[in-house]
Structures are given as structure tokens and as C-alpha cells.
Amino acid sequence: MFKKILIANRGEIACRVIKTARRMGIQTVAVYSDADARAPFVQMADEAVHIGPAPASESYLIADKIIAACKQTGAEAVHPGYGFLSERTSFAEALAAENVEFIGPPVNAIAAMGDKIESKKLAREAGVNVVPGYVGEIDDTEHAVRISNDIGYPVMMKASAGGGGKGMRLAYSEKDVREGFEATKREGLNSFGDDRVFIEKFIENPRHIEIQILGDKHGNVIYLNERECSIQRRHQKVVEEAPSPFVTPEMRKAMGEQCVALAKAVGYYSAGTVELIVSGADKTGQSFYFLEMNTRLQVEHPVTECITGVDLVEQMIKVAAGGKLAMTQDDVKIDGWAIENRVYAEDPYRGFLPSTGRLVRYDPPVTGWKGGIRGVDSGNGGIRVDDGVMEGGEVSMFYDPMIAKLITWAPTRDEAADLQIKALDAFEIEGLGHNIDFVSAIMQHPRFRSGDLTTGFIAEEYPEGFEGAPAGRKLRTRLAAMGAFVAAAYADRARRTDGQLGDRLRPPAKWSVKIDGEFHNAELSGDEITVDGDIVDLAMEYTPGQRTVAALFDTDENGEGGEELIVQIKPVPAGFEFTTRGAKHKLRVLPTRVAKFDKHMIEKIPPDMSKFLVCPMPGLLVSLNVGEGDEVQPGQPLAVVEAMKMENILRAEKAGKVAKVNAKAGESLAVDAIILELE
């Protein structure tokens, strides 16, 4: 076994590998850029080596710097994590030349399966179903248009070396191909150093199912069941679960055996994932097609670990050291259900725009993963958090916007989803936008609960964007009761503060609570709270200034049982902002005697910004397509902004004439920076 390994990655996956290596008694070496100098993974490793400036192209993507760090520290092997150099054949070859073991598959397997064009050819030759498409070299945009017309729309344009949802464009028409082909090439070149693109038929209403493969250097290959990864936004996975609610035992066996055969055809060992696209309309489960194979550890690997009890990182390290798999296919079982939500630095209330900045507050529902695959085995009640950030740290524009992964395990799917909602309610993040409300809303959505999932789930269920999960009357009544309780606590503190309300003035007992435009009359009398005349069974303690409170409703006669509601509380003028159950609720809480004057309390109307083109996120202005005096039409592309390695086309919302241009191509812009003005 290795004595020391180097992790050629950063963030949560670097922390994840370090923790397993430490449990195995292996020393670890971290490499870091300027942006990560004080990151948790650097502090966690036994040794750390600085490898360059913040941009990945000048640090994490430079193989020579990684190899130099191995020589400097005496690391015997390198775990590449995912992304960066994890699927680069040249990197694995360079390590081999220096007698450093690559904790991953053989070079020939990376070459065969890591290239999406070549892997499809190989899969087709091996008799595996593949999606209809063109897998040869594409000369230019005109060639791409001809190919797309021949295949039939819609088509998907993909960077050959792409991954993680980057370098992908969906085209429903020739116009989309002309607009998106060059952008797809640029994203492939910028993110992966390869601008080749292939085009394939886009299967509508598809499900995204993937099979986890694990093999050793002695010819043994098994599959560790499937993961359902259909809930995606812009081809980036958001929610993953294992097993899939769609896959039958027969379908699982057929998929798994086919994927094992494909892996054996290229002499595969280590962990890998075969991604399949499945027609959700075909209930027989026979319409599944090879999409690609990721020759590395997947972001969503924890859900597989939860249902199988197998530490995949540990297995990768053991296989790299020459060990045989200690399990056979018959040993692989399914125990319970696991769901993973990716917590991203993005603002779902503003069209999911990337959000960068400092984590002013970061307090996950449980401490970061320290071992114990399922969370229950580490005393966390089935909740596991894989993260690589800390309070006071920064989410940089240079890397992926993922903050953490929240994983829950329970005996059933509904229980795992309920545990997600509870954990998300308790997950505190301040300082930048995040998607916690959004993923909580998904966990509560009836369609998610039914298991009727496709890759179009988000676009279909949130066509106008996200405005928070809907709140039923029961929830609004409970929030009104809590709002009155919290307001009374503030009033009580105020009267106890010398000189404010006098010695004998009691806090108001009757409150008017306005939620979502609807008033509720709440009254506190002794230990009893009523809302609109109905008694609300509420048990809670609250001290003014407390950020999160857990309230218990409808307990039995002994005060036990009941339903817990975790709420994050933020004081705002004339009330509070309560965040819970996938939404932010603004409560206007006034003493009943004052509430009658509410209509006279005018709220400030925000200014009209429709004549300005503003930068929706911090990023680089790649191009500006218009100049002063140009006439523009609704939907016309005006500028392209790159953020988080993705290009975003900004379009005109209305017709007009460009009156003034305030920025130029090549400039780094802050969020809400004005790019141009229209007359």
C-alpha cells in the first residue's frame, strides 16, 4: 500500500480523498493555487505545495507542476479527483514516466472512453446501442448546419472532451446551430483544451441513468447499481439519487452487464461511470443508449456509497496499489435510498445567475463528512455533508460554483427526501446567492415524489423561473403563529430595556401578520396561541437575535411527537423574513391596533431598469455585438459574458436604439454593472 499520495485537485473532492486516505493510514499532499492558499483542503493535508496563480490554466491544469510537487514531497501516487487532469491521457502517461502511480484507469481506457467521439465509435463496434448522430470531425459552422439538418432537430452539440455540463448546446433550429456552434468550440477549448465538437440527436423526454463500474488490475469488473441523475439545469446535474425510481431489477441487470462488457473491452480498472440516456416513455426499460463513459470518480458517488456501503475512494486506492476486489457481483446489494443535492453558488431568484463572493456565514446542518458512509454510522442521523469551504472563505469566479453536497440516506425514498427538506431548512449560508430554496422545492414537488423524472424537469416545472416553493394554508398559519411569537419576544426585550417602554407596559398580545399579501390575526394568551380564531399547538423557544429556530407543532398530550419546522429568521423593517420549506417569506408583523394604518405605510418602488443592459453576474465581457446608434430588436444578442467557464448570451428585452456604451470587450465586470443604455 502507498505511504503517501498527492491529490491533484481542490475543494470538496480534495477533502473527500484526504479523509479516506487518512483513515487508511496514508499521508497526503495537497497542491493549491493563489486563490486556495487558505482553503480547508490545504490545511487538512499533511503537506501542501503551491503551484501557481488562480486560473486553472496556470495551476491545476499544468501537469509539470503536479509532477514537480510529487518529486518534491516523495508522493508515490496521484489521485486526480474529477475535472482538471482526471481524464487527460498525457497526464497519466507523464506520471508513469516518473514512476508515480495514477489512481485511476489505464491510459488506453482513458483514451478510448474519455474522448466522446472515439468512445461512441468503440461502443458501436462493441454492439452497444448509441444515440444517432455524427461522430466525425466537423469542419465549420456550415458543415455543422448540414449535419444537423440531416439528423433532424432537435440536436445536441457537445465538446468532444467536455464534461460537467460545459461545452454543450441544444439546437432546435438552424439558427440555434449558427449561434451556438462556435461558442461550443470556444467553451471546449477554454475548459478542456480541445475544440472538437460532435453532434447527435437529442432524445426528448429522456432520463439520465448512470451505472457505477468498479474493476481491478486482475480482470475483475463489477457494477454497483445505478444512479438517477435526470434533474439537471443547463445539462449540469442538480439532484442525484440511488437507486433510480424508474429502473427495474431486470433493467438494472441488463444495463449493468452491458456496461461491464464495455469496460472489459478496454481493459478497464478503478472506478468509472457509464452514462446512459433512457427513453422515459418506454416502460419496458429496453430503450437505453450509451452516452459516454467518465473514466474517473463522479461528483455524485456518495449516493452509491450510501446504498452499497462501499467507499469508492478507498477501492480506487487499493486497486491502484494492485489489490484485488474483495467483493463479487453477488455481494453488491441495495440497502435503502440515498439522495444528493448539489448546493451551488447561484441565485435561483435571478435566473440562476452565478454568484461569487465571501461566505459571511456558512453553517451546514451537520459537520463536514469525517467518515461513516451513510451519516447514520457517524451519528448524524442519515445526513452527510461533503464540502470544501469554510465560513469566511470565498467562492471564486475561477472554479466550479459548487459549495457543498448534501446527502441523505433513509430506508425509503420519501424518508430520504423528507430528511433533505429538514437538513436544507437548517443549512445556513449568507454572503452570496445559493440554491438551497430551489432544491428544497424540488424535494417537495409532487412530480419528484412520484418519480416521473426527465432531464426537462426543471425547464418544464419552472418555465418562468423560480419564485420559491408554494406555501399552503397550513404552513402560512404556522408561520403566522411563529411570527407573532417572535414579535412578542422582541417587544418583551424592548420593554425590559431601560427607558424604552416603561416598567409596567406589557408586550402586545394581539398581532396582525401579513404573509404573501394575506393578513392573519394572531393572539397570544398565556401558553395558548390562536391564529384567525383557531388554536395552534406550538412549542418553541426563541431569543431575539437567534438566527435559526426549531418549532414543534401538534404534539400529543405528553408533549411528544408532532411535526418539526426549522425556520431561519432575519429581522426586516416592520417584520421578519422567514426562510423555510424552499421559500423566503416576508412577514409584516404589527400590533393589531397599528395594523389598521398599514395602507398608509408606503413601500418604495424600485427604479425602472428596462432601458439598461446590466451584467447579471460577475464575469468577463467576451464580446459586444452592438455600438452607439445601432437599432436593436427584442431577442437580439447584444453581448456575451463569461462566468464560471460558461458563456452567457445577453439579449435585448425590447426594441430600441443604443444611446451609450459603458463597457468594452475584455473588461471584467461586477454584478449589475451597466454595459449599455437604450434610448
Side-chain angles (χ1 to χ4, degrees):
M1 183 52 64
F2 306 118
K3 293 182 179 179
K4 183 185 291 187
I5 65 172
L6 181 145
I7 297 92
N9 217 297
R10 61 176 300 279
E12 67 88 14
I13 189 57
C15 293
R16 166 72 184 86
V17 176
I18 290 170
K19 290 169 183 176
T20 285
R22 178 181 293 166
R23 181 173 55 80
M24 296 174 69
I26 300 171
Q27 289 189 313
T28 56
V29 179
V31 291
Y32 65 93
S33 70
D34 290 346
D36 287 331
R38 288 176 290 277
F41 76 94
V42 176
Q43 301 173 19
M44 191 179 300
D46 296 297
E47 298 176 65
V49 179
H50 177 252
I51 55 170
S57 59
E58 300 176 43
S59 51
Y60 297 107
L61 286 171
I62 304 297
D64 289 346
K65 293 186 176 182
I66 306 296
I67 292 171
C70 289
K71 292 180 178 179
Q72 178 183 332
T73 59
E76 304 160 84
V78 170
H79 195 300
Y82 48 74
F84 295 143
L85 298 171
S86 62
E87 295 177 286
R88 231 22 112 71
T89 54
S90 58
F91 179 55
E93 289 169 339
L95 289 174
E98 298 294 337
N99 293 317
V100 177
E101 192 68 35
F102 179 69
I103 302 176
V107 171
N108 66 292
I110 300 174
M113 306 308 285
D115 186 311
K116 291 180 175 57
I117 291 176
E118 295 303 318
S119 67
K120 286 185 182 297
K121 290 179 180 178
L122 180 62
R124 181 179 292 162
E125 291 168 1
V128 179
N129 290 342
V130 296
V131 180
Y134 185 88
V135 294
E137 293 286 338
I138 299 175
D139 302 327
D140 51 28
T141 299
E142 293 304 321
H143 190 194
V145 168
R146 292 196 300 272
I147 290 168
S148 301
N149 289 338
D150 290 342
I151 295 173
Y153 296 99
V155 298
M156 180 69 77
M157 297 177 289
K158 295 184 180 181
S160 178
K166 297 178 177 64
M168 301 175 72
R169 285 288 194 286
L170 180 58
Y172 284 95
S173 65
E174 180 177 318
K175 177 186 175 185
D176 292 341
V177 176
R178 292 186 182 279
E179 280 190 6
F181 180 72
E182 289 299 329
T184 305
K185 290 187 67 174
R186 284 196 300 271
E187 285 183 7
L189 185 62
N190 292 339
S191 296
F192 311 104
D194 186 343
D195 68 351
R196 290 178 301 153
V197 172
F198 69 94
I199 300 176
E200 65 184 12
K201 178 72 175 177
F202 179 70
I203 296 177
E204 298 184 88
N205 300 319
R207 298 181 82 111
H208 186 118
I209 309 291
E210 57 190 34
I211 301 291
Q212 177 69 58
I213 294 294
L214 182 64
D216 62 26
K217 296 180 179 180
H218 306 278
N220 302 303
V221 183
I222 61 175
Y223 64 93
L224 279 71
N225 305 313
E226 82 285 350
R227 295 185 287 260
E228 171 88 52
C229 306
S230 295
I231 297 183
Q232 306 176 4
R233 195 188 69 78
R234 292 184 66 179
H235 316 297
Q236 179 76 52
K237 298 166 190 173
V238 178
V239 181
E240 299 102 350
E241 59 182 309
S244 165
F246 178 74
V247 174
T248 63
E250 295 77 19
M251 186 179 179
R252 179 176 300 118
K253 187 173 186 291
M255 285 180 165
E257 290 178 351
Q258 184 171 316
C259 294
V260 166
L262 182 61
K264 286 185 174 180
V266 292
Y268 198 90
Y269 55 75
S270 193
T273 295
V274 180
E275 301 198 349
L276 304 167
I277 191 166
V278 183
S279 172
D282 184 357
K283 300 304 180 183
T284 68
Q286 296 177 359
S287 299
F288 60 87
Y289 305 94
F290 172 79
L291 193 61
E292 63 181 328
M293 184 172 188
N294 292 313
T295 55
R296 54 172 170 79
L297 193 67
Q298 293 280 92
V299 175
E300 57 272 21
H301 74 274
V303 293
T304 295
E305 294 183 327
C306 286
I307 66 165
T308 62
V310 176
D311 185 326
L312 288 170
V313 173
E314 178 183 5
Q315 293 300 316
M316 292 180 74
I317 295 172
K318 287 181 176 179
V319 166
K324 288 185 178 181
L325 294 183
M327 68 199 84
T328 66
Q329 192 62 59
D330 291 339
D331 296 324
V332 179
K333 308 297 181 184
I334 296 178
D335 183 4
W337 213 286
I339 299 175
E340 173 180 294
N341 277 303
R342 300 189 187 190
V343 179
Y344 282 123
E346 62 184 14
D347 191 345
Y349 295 99
R350 297 186 62 188
F352 299 93
L353 295 174
S355 180
T356 58
R358 194 162 301 284
L359 286 162
V360 176
R361 181 164 182 77
Y362 177 75
D363 190 7
V366 298
T367 56
W369 185 76
K370 291 183 173 64
I373 292 297
R374 295 190 175 103
V376 290
D377 33 20
S378 58
N380 288 334
I383 302 172
R384 169 178 164 180
V385 174
D386 283 20
D387 59 13
V389 299
M390 62 182 179
E391 189 167 284
E394 187 174 1
V395 176
S396 168
M397 66 178 286
F398 296 104
Y399 312 117
D400 187 88
M402 190 168 66
I403 299 171
K405 301 184 305 195
L406 177 66
I407 305 103
T408 55
W409 176 90
T412 68
R413 185 172 187 265
D414 279 342
E415 289 175 298
D418 289 341
L419 197 53
Q420 277 282 343
I421 296 167
K422 178 181 177 181
L424 289 163
D425 281 347
F427 207 135
E428 295 184 50
I429 296 177
E430 293 181 12
L432 42 72
H434 57 78
N435 68 335
I436 286 177
D437 285 353
F438 180 63
V439 290
S440 177
I442 292 176
M443 295 295 99
Q444 301 169 62
H445 200 289
R447 182 174 163 189
F448 173 79
R449 290 302 182 115
S450 74
D452 180 20
L453 310 179
T454 70
T455 55
F457 177 92
I458 291 176
E460 293 159 7
E461 299 302 325
Y462 302 97
E464 303 301 322
F466 179 71
E467 296 179 354
R473 175 164 292 278
K474 181 179 179 181
L475 178 58
R476 293 198 301 271
T477 297
R478 290 179 170 182
L479 293 179
M482 293 181 67
F485 188 97
V486 170
Y490 271 92
D492 189 57
R493 185 181 69 170
R495 74 157 182 116
R496 293 172 185 274
T497 302
D498 184 47
Q500 285 205 25
L501 298 180
D503 295 333
R504 291 177 297 211
L505 188 60
R506 306 295 299 175
K510 296 181 178 181
W511 297 88
S512 179
V513 184
K514 186 178 182 181
I515 306 175
D516 300 331
E518 181 180 357
F519 279 99
H520 299 271
N521 295 312
E523 184 172 353
L524 285 67
S525 177
D527 293 333
E528 187 177 274
I529 298 179
T530 61
V531 175
D532 299 328
D534 296 325
I535 295 175
V536 177
D537 181 8
L538 167 64
M540 66 176 280
E541 295 181 0
Y542 178 76
T543 302
Q546 192 175 338
R547 287 182 290 261
T548 301
V549 64
L552 202 59
F553 291 90
D554 299 333
T555 56
D556 61 22
E557 61 274 9
N558 298 318
E560 298 178 353
E563 296 180 45
E564 186 180 48
L565 182 65
I566 300 174
V567 179
Q568 295 183 34
I569 299 173
K570 178 182 177 182
V572 295
F576 308 93
E577 181 181 84
F578 281 9
T579 302
T580 188
R581 292 297 190 269
K584 291 175 172 54
H585 303 274
K586 289 188 177 179
L587 278 64
R588 194 170 178 84
V589 188
L590 300 169
T592 301
R593 66 178 184 275
V594 176
K596 61 183 178 180
F597 301 110
D598 178 70
K599 62 182 178 181
H600 300 296
M601 302 177 189
I602 309 299
E603 294 187 26
K604 184 178 180 181
I605 300 174
D608 179 16
M609 297 293 289
S610 62
K611 69 176 183 178
F612 299 103
L613 178 69
V614 299
C615 187
M617 78 288 282
L620 177 71
L621 183 59
V622 176
S623 64
L624 192 61
N625 303 333
V626 294
E628 290 185 12
D630 289 353
E631 299 283 345
V632 301
Q633 298 300 320
Q636 179 179 337
L638 302 180
V640 176
V641 174
E642 181 184 307
M644 298 291 186
K645 298 185 284 186
M646 297 285 284
E647 290 191 358
N648 303 272
I649 301 175
L650 308 185
R651 302 177 185 273
E653 294 184 359
K654 64 180 183 179
K657 184 178 181 180
V658 179
K660 185 179 179 182
V661 175
N662 299 316
K664 59 184 179 180
E667 286 186 3
S668 293
L669 303 178
V671 63
D672 292 334
I674 296 175
I675 298 173
L676 57 83
E677 303 174 26
L678 299 176
E679 290 183 356

